[in-house]
Amino acid sequence: MNVWNIFAPVYERSMKSQQQIYEYIYSHTAQTVENKDVLELATGPGMIAKNIAYAAHSIVATDFAEKMILTAKKGDYPQNVTFEVADATQLQYADKSFDVVIIASALHIMPNPEKALQEIVRVLKDDGTLIAPNFIFNGRKNFWQHFLSFVGVKFAHEWTAKEYSDFLQQNGWKIVKSEIVKGRIDLIYVECKTL
């Protein structure tokens, strides 16, 4: 968690070179969360929550790193967004509380992402949707992956698109939408339902 507290003040600026990926996430996610109660895990500085709030009924945006949440709360943000510190593997929310859960580009940095997926199943309403875009890797690391490793960002999993899809399916999810989005590090955008 320390590395994310350190990066909190500069995270959003550092993602500017991935703008096309974020624009894709904002537009596609907004369609799915329309008028829904949403939980976002690993929100970072709240970029996704702030950009899709216009479409959602409500968003609880959480992160494990307290400084990320402090950064997210700076400035103006939509009234239907609440920022909270939370551990994705031990959520404090009641069963079946949310229509949609978003966890973007975070499962690959978790040592035990299965625990987060179990908690998501618990807090998701019946027929709810998991939106889980994630960075993917294709063998050799590129410059940005080496740079992130150098500055302390560790990847617990370096899944290819197929490996990530298989991981979700092995953990009880049916992928209903999937698309690869090219970027500095490629991303696979996925929407899932429980099996």
Side-chain angles (χ1 to χ4, degrees), residues 9 20 23 31 49 51-52 60 63 68 74 80 91 97 106 113 117 123-124 150-151 185:
Q20 77 279 10
E23 292 297 336
Q31 294 170 24
N51 280 278
I52 67 168
V60 178
D63 202 281
M68 282 292 193
K74 289 182 180 175
N80 63 337
L91 296 171
S97 298
L117 292 177
V123 301
L124 200 56
F150 176 75
V151 297
I185 299 174

Side-chain angles (χ1 to χ4, degrees), residues 4-144:
W4 301 110
N5 279 323
I6 292 165
F7 283 131
V10 298
Y11 185 87
E12 189 167 356
R13 268 180 297 180
S14 71
M15 290 295 107
K16 291 239 186 257
S17 63
Q18 291 280 70
Q19 192 61 34
Q20 77 279 10
I21 282 180
Y22 280 95
E23 292 297 336
Y24 180 97
I25 292 172
Y26 301 154
S27 65
H28 286 74
T29 302
Q31 294 170 24
T32 303
V33 304
E34 191 168 355
N35 297 318
K36 303 276 176 51
D37 293 318
V38 178
L39 172 65
E40 185 187 8
L41 305 173
T43 192
M47 295 159 56
I48 294 173
K50 292 173 183 177
N51 280 278
I52 67 168
Y54 73 90
H57 176 259
S58 69
I59 300 177
V60 178
T62 70
D63 202 281
F64 190 61
E66 184 177 353
K67 288 191 179 172
M68 282 292 193
I69 294 301
L70 292 173
T71 300
K73 287 180 174 181
K74 289 182 180 175
D76 294 331
Y77 56 88
Q79 291 185 346
N80 63 337
V81 177
T82 304
F83 289 108
E84 299 178 357
V85 176
D87 180 346
T89 65
Q90 296 179 350
L91 296 171
Q92 63 262 34
Y93 308 108
D95 295 359
K96 301 186 187 310
S97 298
F98 299 97
D99 301 299
V100 178
V101 175
I102 301 167
I103 184 165
S105 302
L107 289 170
H108 67 288
I109 62 171
M110 295 180 175
N112 298 300
E114 300 85 357
K115 289 184 180 180
L117 292 177
Q118 289 166 3
E119 279 293 270
I120 291 166
V121 169
R122 183 182 66 76
V123 301
L124 200 56
K125 292 178 184 175
D126 294 337
D127 199 38
T129 301
L130 166 64
I131 302 175
N134 208 84
F135 291 122
I136 53 172
F137 305 91
N138 298 308
R140 275 185 29 206
K141 288 185 179 181
N142 67 22
F143 168 80
W144 292 107

